[in-house]
Amino acid sequence: MTNDKKSGRGSSARGMGLAAVRGLALALVSLPGAVLCFVLSLVSIALIPIGVGIVTTPWVLTGVRTFADWRRVLAAEWGGVRIPPAYRPLPPDANPWSRTFGMLRDPATWRDLRWLPVDMTAGFVTALLPAVLLFYPLEGFAIAAGLWRVLPDGYWYGFVPVHGQASAFGVAALALALLICAHFFTARLLQVHFRLTRAVLGSNQGELAERVRVLTETRRDAVDTSAAELRRIERDLHDGAQARLVAMGMDLGTIEMLLEKDPAKAKQLVAQARRSSADALAELRDLVRGIHPPVLAERGLGDAVRALALRLPVSTEVNVELAGRAEAPVESAAYFAVSEVLTNAVKHSGADRVWIDLHHTGDTLRVSVTDNGRGGAVTGAGSGLAGIERRLGTFDGVLAVSSPAGGPTMVTMEIPCALS
């Protein structure tokens, strides 16, 4: 029993000492690191309007993320507090402009920047307190043991003035009280530091609520789109193939009556019925192609996009780098999004050349459509691009448009997915 008590006291003392040393090291390293990251971030972002920040901001924010990730590792290893990162992935081949504004649009970036001033103030204090509670009492005991004799008159230890041996004993009492507090609170204060870090650096419920709202909207958009697609199919069938098939049935009834009475007239109606059947078949094929193109089902997204490009009236260059196929709904969404972007480019941009780049990096399907038209494309309500954005949102996809006046226009679509 005595050995267990000694072991417990030894373990507690080691825990106190370890927490104090870790807190002191954390305070000494994190304060200059947080100040440096915060100042560099402010300066780099402020230089974006003159162009310098476009180049420097991705590097600075990457450094901030590295610093924050290092603190996540320490929180997990030293405090058992897990702070999962939630950074949005960036294309590895993105240019400085895309990287800068992609990182600035990421809510996790702004959490990092909000955390830096907290870390250099409240974070610094909560990291330093464990060391203060453990090491400051040592000075008090040294004063009581005789160090007071060499201290200048009017020296204060905490709230106790040191004038002689009697006051030195009061210092020792205060040091003992601080040491008792250290026994109970040193490890807990380090935990407070890491919990504070998680509170600021971790994702919050507001983001979860925003995520739920976005999913609700995209689900509603998907239902509305499906209903509109069904109505379009019904209308096309009723006004097109169905009407031709009804007319062809009437022609066949007339042919049946004229076979013996007027063979020449019957022969003309047979030819007309044959043309009607061919037209009905062509309309049905177009309708099926509008629902799910056969080339997409049989040969995949890359060949389907190439087939789209062949039908365009402008010169089109297609670059496809896909190691496999995505799921059918993802391929369909990407195909029709590309189709609508190309239609907009042909109708409204005045372009005579289009470039399509389609590749898969990491876990993201990325499609870029660039034209040399007049530019000025926007994603506001009522535009075709807004519909594409809703279509992609169903799959957590995003749409980015760069279209300055005078062109060129670049539409980039990204959909998270895996290839099989």
Side-chain angles (χ1 to χ4, degrees):
M1 187 71 177
T2 303
N3 290 335
D4 291 343
K5 289 182 178 179
K6 289 181 179 179
S7 176
R9 286 196 295 269
S11 176
S12 177
R14 284 194 300 272
M16 288 170 53
L18 189 59
V21 171
R22 285 175 171 176
L24 180 60
L26 199 57
L28 294 178
V29 175
S30 66
L31 178 61
V35 172
L36 180 64
C37 288
F38 188 67
V39 171
L40 288 178
S41 298
L42 290 183
V43 172
S44 184
I45 293 173
L47 293 176
I48 288 178
I50 64 174
V52 177
I54 297 294
V55 178
T56 61
T57 298
W59 294 99
V60 172
L61 293 183
T62 299
V64 172
R65 291 184 176 188
T66 302
F67 182 66
D69 285 338
W70 172 68
R71 299 298 292 279
R72 290 185 175 95
V73 172
L74 293 185
E77 293 182 353
W78 290 0
V81 177
R82 303 201 173 274
I83 313 172
Y87 300 115
R88 294 176 181 175
L90 292 171
D93 57 345
N95 57 41
W97 179 277
S98 300
R99 290 183 65 83
T100 297
F101 289 98
M103 297 177 85
L104 290 178
R105 282 194 296 265
D106 190 346
T109 297
W110 296 103
R111 283 199 302 270
D112 290 350
L113 296 180
R114 287 196 301 268
W115 165 70
L116 291 174
V118 174
D119 190 52
M120 69 180 71
T121 52
F124 172 76
V125 172
T126 53
L128 190 61
L129 275 177
V132 172
L133 284 178
L134 184 60
F135 299 131
Y136 194 47
L138 300 180
E139 181 188 352
F141 295 138
I143 290 173
L147 183 63
W148 63 272
R149 299 177 187 277
V150 298
L151 293 176
D153 189 39
Y155 183 83
W156 287 74
Y157 179 83
F159 54 83
V160 178
V162 181
H163 297 294
Q165 187 64 56
S167 60
F169 287 144
V171 168
L174 177 58
L176 181 61
L178 289 175
L179 195 60
I180 293 173
C181 290
H183 174 75
F184 290 104
F185 297 111
T186 298
R188 295 180 183 178
L189 282 171
L190 196 60
Q191 278 282 321
V192 169
H193 171 83
F194 291 129
R195 292 182 186 276
L196 174 66
T197 302
R198 181 175 63 183
V200 183
L201 201 55
S203 58
N204 52 36
Q205 293 298 316
E207 281 198 44
L208 180 60
E210 176 67 13
R211 175 67 176 150
V212 171
R213 183 190 67 81
V214 171
L215 289 176
T216 301
E217 289 185 357
T218 56
R219 183 186 64 183
R220 183 174 62 246
D221 290 337
V223 172
D224 293 343
T225 301
S226 298
E229 189 71 9
L230 285 175
R231 289 193 297 270
R232 182 188 69 81
I233 294 171
E234 292 173 354
R235 184 176 63 252
D236 290 347
L237 285 173
H238 182 271
D239 297 342
Q242 179 179 335
R244 292 187 182 279
L245 291 174
V246 169
M248 188 171 64
M250 296 174 62
D251 288 341
L252 290 175
T254 304
I255 291 169
E256 187 178 8
M257 291 186 295
L258 293 176
L259 278 175
E260 296 181 358
K261 297 180 180 178
D262 192 349
K265 183 64 174 177
K267 186 176 180 180
Q268 293 178 358
L269 291 177
V270 167
Q272 182 177 329
R274 186 172 61 250
R275 288 193 298 270
S276 296
S277 67
D279 291 341
L281 182 59
E283 289 184 357
L284 287 173
R285 285 174 175 168
D286 291 339
L287 184 62
V288 170
R289 187 178 294 111
I291 299 172
H292 194 77
V295 66
L296 179 62
E298 296 170 5
R299 304 184 62 178
L301 181 60
D303 286 339
V305 171
R306 289 190 181 98
L308 272 178
L310 290 175
R311 295 198 296 267
L312 293 181
V314 298
S315 176
T316 306
E317 181 179 331
V318 182
N319 178 40
V320 177
E321 296 180 9
L322 296 178
R325 295 192 59 174
E327 295 181 353
V330 173
E331 284 192 335
S332 180
Y335 172 84
F336 286 109
V338 173
S339 177
E340 190 160 351
V341 171
L342 292 175
T343 300
N344 290 341
V346 171
K347 286 184 177 180
H348 307 299
S349 71
D352 58 12
R353 191 167 180 80
V354 176
W355 295 266
I356 305 172
D357 181 74
L358 194 155
H359 63 274
H360 187 271
T361 56
D363 294 324
T364 303
L365 175 67
R366 189 169 187 263
V367 185
S368 298
V369 180
T370 307
D371 66 66
N372 62 349
R374 64 178 66 94
V378 294
T379 57
S383 73
L385 293 175
I388 297 173
E389 192 171 30
R390 289 194 299 270
R391 183 192 292 272
L392 298 179
T394 307
F395 300 91
D396 286 342
V398 294
L399 174 76
V401 179
S402 173
S403 184
T409 296
M410 181 177 182
V411 179
T412 303
M413 297 163 280
E414 294 184 353
I415 306 177
C417 68
L419 298 185
S420 60

